[in-house]
């Protein structure tokens, strides 16, 4: 007999203001260490978040398949016709440019968030690990950070992304996927692993607070693992959070994020002293993976037409490409 579906109790968000109130502390606060006890770990998407443009798109449009074919391939991912990994391999495989030459176009095409460098310095001053978590290629992301931040500051950023094999002439670009799944990189799993490792490193009685920063729906599997979620204002992730009543903090630049993180740090220190659960913790970060499985999907959710909602709540079943012959049954 198949196990019964586990249906989480619905939460009443009807009267909730999901935007976290803006902080009121002094805008001229010192960038030096605040001195709070709680371990905080930041994860951020790269394309569209730290940088306004997509690094892969810049390369594909200039030295690969071109914008028209790329748009066709993007649509194939959205419709489920082909997996993200399959389409990505075609896009990267279309490149015909040496690595160094390909980077030249990114120097002029990419624009970094105007306040990111200041926020990154804040993280360094306060011993906050800052991690890039991306579906892109690590060598490209590292080279971009080295260029825009300088190698010394770039070295403080851990990049959790796919690797790459690129031959010297630049005729072969091949992703080396970090995970064996149709997405190539399971961002949610990467954050779970980091959370578990951080707990082992923390002092007795402390639990790390996880911050995630993103801009698009593709960030949802990682966002659900965060205690505090920042969504770039006016883009798809914020729109999804509003439509589905998911708590988030909007931001325009990383200066907004710094103000809020400072406020959260002081609030948590005052209320908890850094012990036990953070003041702003996400209980779903630890329960969704336990209760979600292909045999435990409520029928009302499986029948919901919004694939994005399924991807957020039941990532193991819905966040990856599903061939039609392997479709998830709707009955036990």
């Amino acid at each position: 007999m198949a196990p019964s579906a586990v249906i989480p109790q619905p939460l009443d968000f009807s009267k909730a203001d999901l935007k976290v109130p803006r902080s009121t502390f002094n805008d001229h606060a010192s960038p030096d260490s605040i001195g709070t006890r709680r371990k905080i770990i930041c994860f951020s998407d790269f394309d569209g978040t730290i940088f306004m443009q997509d690094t892969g798109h810049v390369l594909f449009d200039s030295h690969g398949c071109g914008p028209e074919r790329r748009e066709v391939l993007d649509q194939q991912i959205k419709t489920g016709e082909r997996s993200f990994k399959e389409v990505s391999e075609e896009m990267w495989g279309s490149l015909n440019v040496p690595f160094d030459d390909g980077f030249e176009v990114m120097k002029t095409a990419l624009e970094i968030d105007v306040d990111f460098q200041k926020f990154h310095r804040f993280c360094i001053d306060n011993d906050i690990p800052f991690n890039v978590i991306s579906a892109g290629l690590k060598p490209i992301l590292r080279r971009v950070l080295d260029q825009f931040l300088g190698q010394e500051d770039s070295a403080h950023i851990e990049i959790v992304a796919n690797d790459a094999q690129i031959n010297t002439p630049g005729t072969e670009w091949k992703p080396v996927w970090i995970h064996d799944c149709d997405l190539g990189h399971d961002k949610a799993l990467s954050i779970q692993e980091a959370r578990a490792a951080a707990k082992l490193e923390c002092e007795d009685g402390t639990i790390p607070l996880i911050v995630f920063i993103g801009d698009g729906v593709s960030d949802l599997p990682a966002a659900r693992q965060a205690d505090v979620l920042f969504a770039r204002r006016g883009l798809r992730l914020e729109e999804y959070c509003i439509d589905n009543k998911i708590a988030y903090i909007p931001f325009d630049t990383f200066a907004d994020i710094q103000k809020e993180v400072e406020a959260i740090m002081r609030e948590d220190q005052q209320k908890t002293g850094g012990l036990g659960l953070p003041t702003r913790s996400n209980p779903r970060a630890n329960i969704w993976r336990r209760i979600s499985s292909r045999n435990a999907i409520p029928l009302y959710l499986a029948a919901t037409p919004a694939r994005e909602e399924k991807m957020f709540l039941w990532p193991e079943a819905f966040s990856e490409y599903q061939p039609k012959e392997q479709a998830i049954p709707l009955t036990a």
Side-chain angles (χ1 to χ4, degrees):
M1 177 182 296
S4 301
V6 180
I7 304 177
Q9 293 297 314
L11 302 177
D12 183 10
F13 289 108
S14 59
K15 299 180 180 180
D17 182 2
L18 296 172
K19 291 186 179 180
V20 177
R22 304 292 293 180
S23 57
T24 57
F25 67 88
N26 190 344
D27 284 348
H28 301 288
S30 169
D32 296 336
S33 175
I34 295 177
T36 54
R37 180 178 182 182
R38 175 85 57 193
K39 182 73 171 182
I40 296 177
I41 305 174
C42 278
F43 289 90
S44 176
D45 180 43
F46 193 85
D47 298 318
T49 302
I50 298 176
F51 286 84
M52 301 300 100
Q53 298 78 22
D54 187 296
T55 51
H57 290 182
V58 170
L59 283 173
F60 305 146
D61 293 353
S62 301
H63 299 289
C65 58
E68 294 81 8
R69 177 59 181 168
R70 175 176 59 78
E71 291 177 4
V72 171
L73 294 173
D74 282 339
Q75 189 63 28
Q76 290 177 350
I77 296 175
K78 293 177 182 178
T79 61
E81 180 182 346
R82 298 172 68 188
S83 71
F84 172 85
K85 184 160 67 173
E86 182 184 0
V87 168
S88 295
E89 287 176 345
E90 178 176 334
M91 288 182 178
W92 290 112
S94 73
L95 292 176
N96 186 4
V97 61
F99 181 79
D100 290 339
D101 293 349
F103 182 71
E104 288 301 314
V105 69
M106 288 190 283
K107 288 182 181 179
T108 56
L110 295 180
E111 175 188 1
I112 193 170
D113 181 285
V114 294
D115 293 308
F116 176 75
Q117 288 174 278
K118 182 180 177 182
F119 176 75
H120 181 228
R121 174 51 53 184
F122 163 78
C123 289
I124 294 174
D125 290 342
N126 287 276
D127 194 27
I128 298 174
F130 186 91
N131 306 270
V132 164
I133 184 165
S134 172
L137 303 186
K138 187 173 182 178
I140 295 174
L141 307 185
R142 177 60 70 193
R143 182 68 173 271
V144 170
L145 290 175
D146 287 349
Q147 172 69 29
F148 283 83
L149 302 182
Q151 292 185 0
E152 182 177 351
D153 281 353
S154 172
H156 287 278
I157 298 178
E158 181 71 23
I159 299 177
V160 186
N162 305 299
D163 210 332
Q165 294 177 350
I166 307 168
N167 66 1
T168 302
T171 57
E172 294 182 7
W173 291 61
K174 182 179 180 181
V176 179
W177 303 107
I178 192 171
H179 293 131
D180 184 17
C181 65
D182 282 317
L183 290 174
H185 181 191
D186 184 340
K187 292 183 180 181
L189 177 59
S190 290
I191 293 183
Q192 280 192 326
E193 292 171 346
R195 184 191 289 271
K199 285 182 179 180
L200 294 176
E201 296 174 1
C202 287
E203 300 176 14
D204 291 344
T206 64
I207 297 174
L209 181 143
I210 304 297
V211 172
F212 183 79
I213 307 161
D215 69 296
V217 174
S218 63
D219 294 321
L220 282 172
R224 71 184 178 87
Q225 294 296 324
D227 298 305
V228 179
L229 170 62
F230 290 93
R232 186 173 285 282
R233 195 187 306 273
L235 298 183
R236 189 65 186 95
L237 181 57
E238 181 186 39
E239 181 182 330
Y240 183 85
C241 289
I242 293 172
D243 290 345
N244 293 275
K245 298 180 173 55
I246 298 168
Y248 76 103
I249 304 175
F251 75 96
D252 293 307
T253 76
F254 273 79
D256 300 325
I257 298 173
Q258 180 175 335
K259 291 177 183 178
E260 296 300 337
V261 170
E262 287 188 28
I264 290 169
M265 291 171 69
R266 292 191 173 99
E267 174 192 46
D268 185 78
Q269 183 67 26
Q270 180 181 10
K271 292 184 177 180
T272 72
L275 299 176
L277 286 172
T279 302
R280 304 188 189 187
S281 62
N282 174 15
R284 290 180 298 184
N286 295 319
I287 67 172
W288 283 127
R289 188 168 291 268
R290 288 203 305 269
I291 67 174
S292 59
S293 73
R294 299 190 178 197
N295 293 322
I297 302 172
L299 294 183
Y300 78 91
L301 183 57
T304 301
R307 182 179 181 276
E308 293 168 356
E309 180 178 346
K310 300 174 188 176
M311 184 174 73
F312 183 81
L313 297 175
W314 307 91
E316 285 80 2
F318 291 107
S319 66
E320 297 180 8
Y321 167 71
Q322 296 280 343
K324 292 182 178 179
E325 61 270 22
Q326 297 178 7
I328 300 169
L330 300 185
T331 57

